[in-house]
Amino acid sequence: RNGDYELAVQMYTKALAEDSSSHTLRSNRAASYHLIGQYENALADSDECIRLRPRWIKVPYYNYMYMCVSMNTRSSVKILILP
C-alpha cells in the first residue's frame, strides 16, 4: 500500500514459495510486476492465474491488459516508423 512494488514482488514471491497454488498471491504479484514495468512477468503470472482458477472473472481482463502492454513495449518502435 505504500507504493514499494519491488518489495511487494519479493514478498509475494516468498509467499508463493510456501503456497504456489494461490491464485490471489499470483494475481497480486502480477499487478506489482505491472506497476514496476515488468510486463512479461506480469503476463506469466496472469497466465498461471488463469490455469489455477479459470473462472475467476478479473483474471482474463488483467491478462489481456498485460498482454497488450507487453506487446506494445516490444513493438512501439516498429509502430512509430510505419508510414
Side-chain angles (χ1 to χ4, degrees):
R1 293 183 188 262
N2 67 0
D4 191 349
Y5 300 110
E6 289 181 8
L7 177 61
V9 166
Q10 292 173 11
M11 299 305 286
Y12 287 127
T13 300
K14 192 174 190 177
L16 281 163
E18 300 293 321
D19 182 8
S20 63
S21 66
S22 173
H23 64 280
T24 303
L25 291 172
R26 196 150 314 258
S27 175
N28 290 343
R29 187 174 72 170
S32 296
Y33 273 136
H34 173 76
L35 290 167
I36 61 174
Q38 293 187 20
Y39 306 118
E40 298 287 333
N41 288 332
L43 182 58
D45 271 354
S46 184
D47 285 342
E48 183 63 11
C49 281
I50 289 172
R51 189 189 71 74
L52 291 169
R53 187 144 180 221
R55 295 186 183 264
W56 195 23
I57 191 69
K58 80 176 197 176
V59 175
Y61 167 76
Y62 286 115
N63 186 270
Y64 178 75
M65 181 178 67
Y66 300 146
M67 183 180 64
C68 288
V69 171
S70 177
M71 289 172 50
N72 232 1
T73 301
R74 287 185 300 219
S75 61
S76 59
V77 173
K78 291 178 185 175
I79 291 170
L80 288 174
I81 61 171
L82 290 176

